[in-house]
Amino acid sequence: MLVHRLADDHVAVVHMLRFSARPATGRSHAVLPWSGSGHPVTREETVSSLLLLKRDFLKKSLGR
């Protein structure tokens, strides 16, 4: 799962999209564009939502 803030000040969106397009491992993945600026996700309710999305992604990926 690639989570990327659309106004990230460390990694440009285009670089994340190029990375996502590479068939490096042959495994499927998810791209989650996240609104906001800055690199880290900090607001508590946002962090909680993101953790739930990550949990669901891992469950699906691991077949559980």
Side-chain angles (χ1 to χ4, degrees):
M1 173 180 250
L2 300 172
V3 179
H4 194 277
R5 295 194 80 159
L6 296 175
D8 190 317
D9 53 355
H10 293 287
V11 180
V13 174
V14 68
H15 294 157
M16 184 275 303
L17 292 172
R18 282 188 201 150
F19 180 77
S20 172
R22 296 175 125 194
T25 63
R27 295 183 180 177
S28 63
H29 64 281
V31 175
L32 179 60
W34 206 263
S35 64
S37 62
H39 194 68
V41 177
T42 54
R43 288 186 21 212
E44 188 173 327
E45 65 274 7
T46 304
V47 170
S48 296
S49 297
L50 186 54
L51 285 173
L52 292 173
L53 290 168
K54 288 179 182 181
R55 181 201 64 194
D56 293 343
F57 175 79
L58 286 172
K59 282 183 174 181
K60 181 180 175 189
S61 297
L62 297 173
R64 298 180 184 216

